Amino acid sequence: MTRPLSAFTAAGRFWRGNLHTHSTRSDGVLAPEEVCRRYRAEGYDFLALTDHFVGMWGYPIVDTVPFRTEGFTTILGAELHSGAMANGELWHVLAVGLPPDFAPSNSPDFVPRADQETAAQIAERAVAAGAFVAIAHPQWSGLTLADARSVTAAHAVEIYNHGCATGCDRADGFAIADLLLTEGRRLSMIATDDAHFSEPDHFGGWVMVKAERNEPEALLAALKRGDFYSSQGPELRDVRIEGDRVVVESSAVSSVIVQGWGTGAKGVHGHSMTRTEVPLARLLNSPWLRVTVIDAAGKRAWSNPFWREVDGGNPRT
């Protein structure tokens, strides 16, 4: 039995949003009001301004409520920092939906301190406070699998970070996400900008969230349920299993790829495909599957993982 992806069956419509953004309240170059204006002007429905939650900038959770308008909303958040990764550098944990009075950790700057909370602890606090929490830019951070395993409260992994793509060509989080999925973690996947506006790091990756209202509470609930997909441009309209195939309905694309654990993957390629059937035979009996579509310009969209019952849960060829 396969539980259908609720993003395509839930009530409501898709809303486009960016979950990772910076302003002059930390190391961005634009004021919060201008950041919000630009995302609104570019057709986004919502934005989370997530400035760095460290003491050198006063532990900001920026009040973006005054910048909401008819048709555009904001969600309060921050990029949290506490504890050292295996490489000795400070953790980055994305938290969207924080209360304005979320208590700071002992993180005066970007140097880890021995008496800080761990990343796992600050993530747990953020989730308890109502936030949607994601492990930020694993490749850029140099994150190990052991690092990622430790943050058990996270809802998601940042699988594409546009700022890391344009700034250092380290945009990827799929390796970490796929390994966690294979270990049984029920995680979702987000694409973001991580925009600072100091380079072309904006309007390159976003989430499409299925909710009945473009309001913070409804969007957060949908994010926590996994009712969204991520994109650089293409649209996903349905992803489902029919018999021995995955059926993907989308805007016009040239490749549709279904991935599973280990080396399990199968791609179908063509021209202007809008309904694509991908056979499951090469998916190695994977209990989880996810979908990537690629359009003629090389832009991608990604489904969240979905789960199915398999024969004993063991991979096979």
Side-chain angles (χ1 to χ4, degrees), residues 243-313:
D244 62 353
R245 296 173 181 271
V246 176
V247 178
V248 180
E249 297 184 18
S250 64
S251 56
V253 297
S254 53
S255 295
V256 176
I257 303 166
V258 180
Q259 298 96 339
W261 65 6
T263 58
K266 174 62 178 175
V268 173
H269 312 282
H271 301 281
S272 304
M273 300 187 302
T274 58
R275 186 186 187 278
T276 309
E277 297 186 4
V278 183
L280 286 167
R282 294 180 60 181
L283 271 296
L284 305 181
N285 209 34
S286 178
W288 61 268
L289 303 170
R290 61 178 179 84
V291 171
T292 302
V293 301
I294 310 172
D295 69 14
K299 300 294 186 181
R300 288 163 164 77
W302 305 277
S303 79
N304 275 324
F306 55 106
W307 296 78
R308 58 180 182 145
E309 293 180 6
V310 294
D311 298 339

Side-chain angles (χ1 to χ4, degrees), residues 106-213:
N106 177 30
S107 303
D109 50 35
F110 289 98
V111 178
R113 301 308 203 267
D115 60 347
Q116 287 176 325
E117 293 174 284
T118 65
Q121 289 168 335
I122 200 167
E124 288 171 1
R125 278 208 299 120
V127 169
F132 172 79
V133 170
I135 297 170
H137 40 58
Q139 188 183 22
W140 181 87
S141 292
L143 208 68
T144 68
L145 179 57
D147 286 328
R149 281 185 185 130
S150 73
V151 185
T152 57
H155 298 95
V157 175
E158 196 176 55
I159 47 83
Y160 177 76
N161 180 301
H162 192 57
C164 293
T166 59
C168 61
D169 197 27
R170 289 178 171 173
D172 201 323
F174 282 112
I176 288 291
D178 285 353
L179 289 170
L180 291 174
L181 290 170
T182 296
E183 293 182 350
R185 289 281 299 276
R186 302 270 177 134
L187 292 158
S188 57
M189 300 176 168
I190 60 171
T192 71
D193 275 344
D194 197 358
H196 294 70
F197 288 90
S198 55
E199 53 189 349
D201 58 2
H202 37 281
F203 316 138
W206 54 86
V207 290
M208 298 293 294
V209 179
K210 187 74 167 294
E212 294 192 78
R213 302 175 309 282

Side-chain angles (χ1 to χ4, degrees), residues 50-72:
T50 53
D51 278 303
H52 294 287
F53 198 62
V54 292
M56 62 191 291
W57 288 301
Y59 296 105
I61 297 177
V62 182
D63 180 10
T64 54
V65 173
F67 313 133
R68 296 173 183 170
T69 64
E70 183 71 27
F72 179 82

